[in-house]
Amino acid sequence: MSNFIYFFKDGNKNLTNLLGGKGANLCEMKNLNLPIPNGFIVTTEACNQFLDNEDNFFEILKPQIKSALVNLEKITNKKFGGNNPLLVSVRSGAPVSMPGMMDTILNVGFNDDVLKKIITITKNQNFAYDLYFKFIQMFSEIVMNIPRKEFEKLDKKEFQNPSEKITAYKNLYKSLIKKEFPDNIEDQIFLAVKSIFNSWNNERAILYRDLNNIDSSMGTGVVIQEMVFGNYNNLSGTGVMFTRNPSTGENKIYGEYLLKAQGEDIVAGIRTPEDISHLEKDMPKIYKELITIGKNLEKHYKNMLDIEFTIENNKLYILQARVGKRTSEADLKINLELAEENLISKKEAILRIDVNSLYKIINGKFSTKSLETANLIGTGLSGSNGVACGKIVLNSKNIPEEGEYILVREETSPEDIKGMYLAKGILTAKGGRTSHGAVVARGMGKCCVTGCDALTISEKEKTIKINNTILKEGDIISLDGHNGNIYLGTVDIEKKTLNEDFFKLMTWTEDFNNLKVRVNADTPEDAKTGCYFGAKGIGLCRTEHMFFKENRIWNIREMILARNEEERNFALEKLSITQSKDFYEIFKVMNGLPVNIRLLDPPLHEFLPKTLEEKVYLSNRMNITLLEIEKRIELLKEQNPMLGHRGCRLGVTFPEIYEMQIKSIGIALNLCKEKNIKASVEIMIPFVGFLEELQYIKSIITKTLKNHDYKIGTMIELPRACVLSDKIAKEVDFFSYGTNDLTQTTLGISRDDSAKFLHSYEEKFIYKNDPFKTIDKEGVGELLKTSISLGKRENPTIKLGICGEHGGDPESIDFFSTLNIEYVSCSPFKIPLALLASAQSEIKKNIKRI
């Protein structure tokens, strides 16, 4: 029969999965001869077997618990119900820290007879009754689900003596449970253990695991430990100490304590605790001992620790030590300093830092305190990390230059660029994590929540509805781009800071990073941000985004709706002037680093006017009738535009468009030569599926761009291009994998419409992850491998990169690092994440080799 019981002397910190974090750490500290109250652990295996088969399994477990209780009596020299009564706490202890999510019961082993014996021993009636009150209340609430407020009602009544209050407590229990309060100590312990097991699946624990991606199959250990009493007398107390500041990471003891109190008192907030520094004055010997233990434990665990302690009659006991929860900023500082103190290596420091925590450092987060009272009204998808509060605006043209505004749209389009730039955050009803709104917001470092199915918009009434909440334009909402939550009103934001610790980490990653990181940048501002964060070039310059600056949209609309070649060339000439200027400014910022320019890619209909007002303006500008404008727009409509007239197909049917863009690159390069500015350009042909398409566009490039050094490549984003990569590779200098469209065309899923059902697929474990967020290794990943193998075989010097949004996803980067590629490219504000994720992947690969 399996052994489901471990005494503290029998375990260690390496048995966390079996004993839970709390139990394993108690074992470790017992082995270090620290002052730990004695006890034992019921394992996580027991929890899982209990949850699978409650009644039958517990009959098997009971004898092992009984035997352990007898052994505990011997170790402590106390006896349950005896003249020197043994009382225990029964606590949860999962393998992963889940603070406050599960349950604890103190003072188990109490009954009327024990009450008398404790009064006799301590000569302190108030102390004894206080223990009894707490036990009945905690047992009733946690084991029997009696609401605490029922006892709080009784606490407001006046009783002649404390024994009357005990009777009232027990009568309340009997009236609600229809049974007497259990006096049998074994029954109390068995019921408490069952309760802790069941708390693994309570509502708050399940929610916490879901939010933090914690494996629900782990189960919880149960720690049964001898009670020590911080409320024993004036030389007693309880407290919590962090070995470093969990908010800032400062290397200074942080914590608080209460004299004459039990552990739950400090958590409940009934009394205001003292700062830990005051303990040096109140109890100098205990303070010195506590500080010494804290420093020694930090050196032993090589991490900042959260230590719970109790002082009983001037004797210190350590109840728990675990790696302390901390803010993202504190975590960064602590790990860097631990490495500089030679407690851990640089590699270990880099591996410890959660890649996603950098989002919060860069883009800010809502304060924990403010979220406690925030009114959550809806949830969408996390389109772009960060947080934002502001007034609702439904039309991007109506956002003022100054102020706090949230742009709310059915879905965004390129015409919303200026509004998105001015807004603090973006909320859309449609679209996924790689929709236009999400991609552009990430490039701007803006908070964005997409795909909120519960959002409906009435532009006529100037109102929106999210679930049952109706709001009007001008009302304030708050968006959390980290998790997709939408709140009513203002939620306080913790200010973001990029300090020297952040840039020190970026410098450290360079020592371990074989995968270069480039930036997706369409403007000089994006390019500057990318360089600020350490980008080694531009991996994707979307030329179409340049058409939406200022009033340039009208030039491209004139070009698209031109009646003849003369009108089209006139519009293209105006576009060439602005594009060449843009290219020059970007080359200047990048100063010789490679700039990958993608020729026009999206369907032309995306640029066309949508409102009557815009159509009327265009008809006057072009001197053609409104009816003619409407006809031409109708002719350009497509049923499935993302698989239609786009990418290189535009260059084949309208070669003059690509000629204009290539000519603009040449003008910019000439200007760079004049100004003695270094420029390195890569010209990328999008959406190639046939070798002949590539060859046709390549001939336009070579014919138009003369007397300049440049590289020609293609964006691999169609399955057909993947399997023909050997043929394509002979014609180009580089491949850049557009994993957004490659995912879309491989899986047959519209990335903009998938938000409607992807969540359901993830819930049912059909998809492990959103494939537009994390690369589909089995499908898209295999196509990448095929393409890389074929391409390298025919062109060994070909450069390979990733320019889809997966280039900023840590799990995807981990996969890309196993491929024969040179760089990933991502939005400016994702560069630090990509650098850290890439360094972590390389370090882990080397560890595996060892």
Side-chain angles (χ1 to χ4, degrees):
M1 183 174 66
S2 297
N3 178 28
F4 296 110
I5 304 293
Y6 276 70
F7 274 82
F8 295 165
K9 65 180 178 62
D10 301 322
N12 57 61
K13 65 180 181 181
N14 298 321
L15 296 177
T16 299
N17 286 341
L18 180 66
L19 305 180
K22 187 177 292 164
N25 286 328
L26 283 166
C27 293
E28 187 75 10
M29 289 190 291
K30 191 70 176 176
N31 293 332
L32 293 172
N33 294 316
L34 294 181
I36 309 298
N38 291 292
F40 61 89
I41 304 135
V42 187
T43 66
T44 58
E45 287 181 355
C47 173
N48 285 322
Q49 292 205 35
F50 172 81
L51 293 174
D52 288 341
N53 190 356
E54 179 177 334
D55 294 329
N56 290 342
F57 173 72
F58 208 77
E59 290 307 309
I60 297 170
L61 184 62
K62 268 184 183 179
Q64 291 194 27
I65 294 177
K66 283 184 180 182
S67 176
L69 293 173
V70 171
N71 198 6
L72 186 60
E73 288 178 324
K74 291 176 183 175
I75 295 169
T76 60
N77 201 25
K78 297 177 182 178
K79 190 171 180 63
F80 288 105
N83 290 329
N84 185 13
L86 175 59
L87 300 178
V88 294
S89 61
V90 182
R91 299 171 181 264
S92 60
V96 176
S97 178
M98 296 170 57
M101 295 303 109
M102 295 180 293
D103 296 324
T104 292
I105 306 126
L106 302 181
N107 308 331
V108 181
F110 234 107
N111 55 33
D112 292 346
D113 188 46
V114 168
L115 173 69
K116 293 173 188 174
K117 290 172 179 174
I118 289 180
I119 291 173
T120 301
I121 294 168
T122 64
K123 307 290 190 293
N124 189 335
Q125 180 175 289
N126 289 338
F127 165 68
Y129 273 106
D130 188 41
L131 297 182
Y132 206 1
F133 293 148
K134 280 193 171 101
F135 168 58
I136 295 174
Q137 188 173 351
M138 293 180 84
F139 185 91
S140 301
E141 180 186 358
I142 291 165
V143 179
M144 294 300 177
N145 298 313
I146 297 174
R148 180 180 295 188
K149 64 182 180 182
E150 298 296 330
F151 289 95
E152 289 173 350
K153 291 176 188 175
L154 290 178
D155 290 341
K156 292 175 183 176
K157 294 183 178 181
E158 291 190 10
F159 296 96
Q160 294 294 320
N161 54 63
S163 63
E164 284 187 9
K165 187 175 177 180
I166 291 293
T167 302
Y169 270 28
K170 288 187 174 182
N171 286 339
L172 172 62
Y173 179 96
K174 184 178 179 180
S175 68
L176 295 174
I177 303 302
K178 310 305 180 189
K179 288 181 181 178
E180 299 286 346
F181 188 87
D183 282 336
N184 183 282
I185 293 171
E186 275 191 357
D187 289 345
Q188 292 175 4
I189 292 171
F190 292 150
L191 287 168
V193 171
K194 285 184 177 182
S195 171
I196 299 300
F197 282 159
N198 284 320
S199 74
W200 177 251
N201 284 332
N202 69 34
E203 189 175 339
R204 65 181 186 273
I206 291 170
L207 178 60
Y208 186 89
R209 290 199 297 271
D210 287 346
L211 291 173
N212 292 279
N213 296 316
I214 295 172
D215 184 359
S216 62
S217 68
M218 289 189 298
T220 181
V222 180
V223 177
I224 297 177
Q225 188 173 21
E226 173 191 8
M227 284 294 304
V228 289
F229 303 105
N231 57 343
Y232 187 78
N233 57 23
N234 290 329
L235 293 175
S236 305
T238 187
V240 177
M241 180 184 78
F242 292 84
T243 56
R244 304 189 188 214
N245 189 310
S247 295
T248 65
E250 182 185 6
N251 189 359
K252 186 179 177 182
I253 295 297
Y254 177 97
E256 53 195 17
Y257 71 100
L258 276 172
L259 291 179
K260 207 172 180 182
Q262 278 197 289
E264 294 303 303
D265 297 334
I266 204 165
V267 177
I270 298 166
R271 292 166 54 192
T272 303
E274 294 282 354
D275 188 274
I276 194 74
S277 61
H278 296 167
L279 187 62
E280 185 173 17
K281 182 181 177 182
D282 287 340
M283 306 180 82
K285 175 176 166 290
I286 294 292
Y287 179 78
K288 185 177 179 181
E289 184 183 0
L290 182 62
I291 297 303
T292 301
I293 287 172
K295 288 185 181 298
N296 289 339
L297 279 175
E298 184 174 272
K299 286 178 183 176
H300 181 76
Y301 280 90
K302 305 181 189 304
N303 214 327
M304 183 270 270
L305 293 180
D306 167 2
I307 299 170
E308 293 179 16
F309 64 91
T310 286
I311 307 159
E312 181 184 282
N313 197 25
N314 208 29
K315 180 172 171 54
L316 175 66
Y317 293 93
I318 304 298
L319 303 185
Q320 177 170 294
R322 61 187 171 195
V323 173
K325 296 283 185 184
R326 77 249 0 220
T327 65
S328 302
E329 291 82 359
D331 186 60
L332 177 57
K333 176 179 273 299
I334 288 166
N335 284 305
L336 294 180
E337 289 189 356
L338 288 172
E340 290 171 337
E341 293 163 21
N342 294 318
L343 281 175
I344 60 175
S345 66
K346 277 189 179 181
K347 288 181 181 179
E348 179 66 23
I350 289 170
L351 287 174
R352 281 185 179 186
I353 294 165
D354 178 8
V355 174
N356 291 314
S357 71
L358 295 187
Y359 275 130
K360 293 173 182 175
I361 294 174
I362 296 167
N363 293 327
K365 60 183 177 179
F366 288 133
S367 76
T368 304
K369 188 174 181 181
S370 188
L371 284 174
E372 289 173 1
T373 55
N375 183 0
L376 179 67
I377 57 174
T379 303
L381 297 173
S382 171
S384 178
N385 287 75
V387 290
C389 308
K391 295 177 181 177
I392 296 168
V393 177
L394 302 181
N395 191 319
S396 59
K397 293 180 180 177
N398 296 339
I399 297 182
E401 295 282 341
E402 294 182 3
E404 311 282 313
Y405 297 95
I406 303 291
L407 177 63
V408 182
R409 303 284 285 158
E410 190 78 17
E411 57 187 332
T412 62
S413 73
E415 289 178 59
D416 292 310
I417 293 290
K418 186 176 180 183
M420 294 172 75
Y421 174 76
L422 292 171
K424 295 296 180 185
I426 299 109
L427 170 64
T428 68
K430 296 179 180 177
R433 292 187 177 100
T434 58
S435 62
H436 174 271
V439 171
V440 173
R442 284 194 288 270
M444 294 177 173
K446 300 270 182 181
C447 165
C448 178
V449 174
T450 61
C452 178
D453 289 340
L455 168 65
T456 54
I457 301 169
S458 172
E459 293 204 31
K460 183 180 178 183
E461 300 293 331
K462 302 291 183 189
T463 61
I464 68 169
K465 184 178 181 184
I466 304 175
N467 290 312
N468 296 319
T469 303
I470 297 174
L471 302 166
K472 60 182 182 298
E473 210 170 22
D475 287 343
I476 294 174
I477 58 173
S478 298
L479 305 180
D480 191 333
H482 300 298
N483 54 28
N485 285 347
I486 307 157
Y487 299 95
L488 181 64
T490 300
V491 180
D492 292 339
I493 297 173
E494 290 184 5
K495 195 173 181 180
K496 61 183 178 183
T497 54
L498 293 181
N499 57 27
E500 61 180 291
D501 291 328
F502 178 86
F503 291 105
K504 186 185 290 182
L505 174 66
M506 293 299 103
T507 301
W508 285 13
T509 63
E510 291 177 8
D511 295 337
F512 308 100
N513 220 328
N514 286 338
L515 197 63
K516 291 186 176 69
V517 178
R518 295 194 192 182
V519 63
N520 294 345
D522 320 312
T523 65
E525 291 74 27
D526 284 348
K528 285 175 187 174
T529 304
C531 290
Y532 175 72
F533 284 129
K536 301 302 181 187
I538 291 176
L540 175 62
C541 177
R542 305 176 182 92
T543 53
E544 62 272 8
H545 284 189
M546 298 172 173
F547 296 150
F548 293 95
K549 275 185 173 181
E550 301 147 6
N551 289 318
R552 300 179 189 182
I553 186 68
W554 299 107
N555 294 334
I556 195 167
R557 284 171 174 169
E558 286 180 2
M559 184 274 293
I560 294 168
L561 298 176
R563 288 166 289 193
N564 52 53
E565 192 173 333
E566 184 183 353
E567 285 186 357
R568 181 171 292 114
N569 286 333
F570 179 71
L572 285 169
E573 191 60 36
K574 288 190 283 184
L575 286 170
S576 178
I577 294 168
T578 55
Q579 281 231 302
S580 57
K581 183 183 175 185
D582 287 338
F583 292 144
Y584 167 72
E585 293 296 333
I586 288 173
F587 291 149
K588 190 164 69 171
V589 171
M590 299 312 292
N591 192 30
L593 290 172
V595 176
N596 185 309
I597 297 174
R598 182 180 71 183
L599 300 175
L600 187 65
D601 181 42
L604 294 178
H605 83 281
E606 285 193 10
F607 301 98
L608 295 177
K610 293 179 176 58
T611 67
L612 179 60
E613 180 186 12
E614 289 171 335
K615 292 172 185 174
V616 169
Y617 176 81
L618 189 59
S619 78
N620 292 333
R621 183 183 173 106
M622 295 185 69
N623 196 26
I624 54 177
T625 65
L626 179 62
L627 181 61
E628 185 64 23
I629 292 284
E630 295 277 15
K631 281 181 181 177
R632 294 186 193 184
I633 290 172
E634 188 63 31
L635 284 172
L636 285 168
K637 275 187 180 176
E638 297 182 85
Q639 294 298 317
N640 195 346
M642 294 310 290
L643 294 177
H645 193 190
R646 58 167 291 201
C648 64
R649 298 163 191 172
L650 293 171
V652 170
T653 51
F654 299 111
E656 57 268 33
I657 297 176
Y658 279 9
E659 285 172 2
M660 176 275 292
Q661 292 194 297
I662 296 156
K663 176 183 165 188
S664 301
I665 292 170
I667 294 169
L669 289 173
N670 285 331
L671 191 54
C672 285
K673 277 186 180 178
E674 287 177 27
K675 304 280 187 180
N676 201 26
I677 293 168
K678 294 177 184 176
S680 173
V681 66
E682 302 168 349
I683 301 172
M684 183 156 66
I685 304 167
F687 222 62
V688 165
F690 288 79
L691 178 63
E692 292 76 11
E693 289 174 318
L694 174 68
Q695 290 170 330
Y696 179 80
I697 303 300
K698 183 179 177 181
S699 69
I700 296 175
I701 297 171
T702 54
K703 184 173 63 179
T704 308
L705 195 60
K706 296 175 180 176
N707 303 319
H708 288 292
D709 292 329
Y710 57 88
K711 289 183 170 59
I712 295 177
T714 184
M715 203 169 185
I716 303 287
E717 47 197 331
L718 290 170
R720 193 176 196 277
C722 290
V723 298
L724 293 177
S725 290
D726 51 347
K727 294 181 174 63
I728 296 172
K730 292 177 182 179
E731 297 284 341
V732 296
D733 301 303
F734 68 87
F735 285 167
S736 182
Y737 293 95
T739 54
N740 299 345
D741 272 319
L742 186 56
T743 296
Q744 183 170 234
T745 54
T746 301
L747 300 184
I749 296 175
S750 164
R751 62 183 181 180
D752 290 330
D753 297 326
S754 61
K756 296 173 184 174
F757 64 85
L758 276 184
H759 181 65
S760 178
Y761 267 52
E762 290 179 67
E763 275 187 341
K764 294 179 171 72
F765 304 106
I766 295 171
Y767 288 166
K768 182 183 175 185
N769 298 296
D770 178 343
F772 292 107
K773 180 185 177 189
T774 299
I775 199 79
D776 162 39
K777 300 181 188 71
E778 292 180 345
V780 177
E782 286 302 311
L783 281 173
L784 287 175
K785 289 178 184 178
T786 298
S787 173
I788 289 168
S789 175
L790 291 171
K792 281 285 185 182
R793 189 182 72 195
E794 293 299 323
N795 183 353
T797 62
I798 193 168
K799 285 188 177 181
L800 303 171
I802 304 284
C803 67
E805 283 299 313
H806 297 97
D809 171 61
E811 190 175 331
S812 301
I813 288 171
D814 200 40
F815 172 70
F816 296 147
S817 71
T818 66
L819 306 179
N820 194 6
I821 62 171
E822 187 172 301
Y823 69 86
V824 295
S825 189
C826 57
S827 307
F829 290 87
K830 277 193 172 184
I831 289 170
L833 285 80
L835 288 168
L836 178 57
S838 177
Q840 288 179 343
S841 294
E842 198 59 35
I843 291 168
K844 283 185 279 188
K845 274 195 294 185
N846 290 330
I847 290 171
K848 284 177 186 175
R849 289 190 197 110
I850 294 168

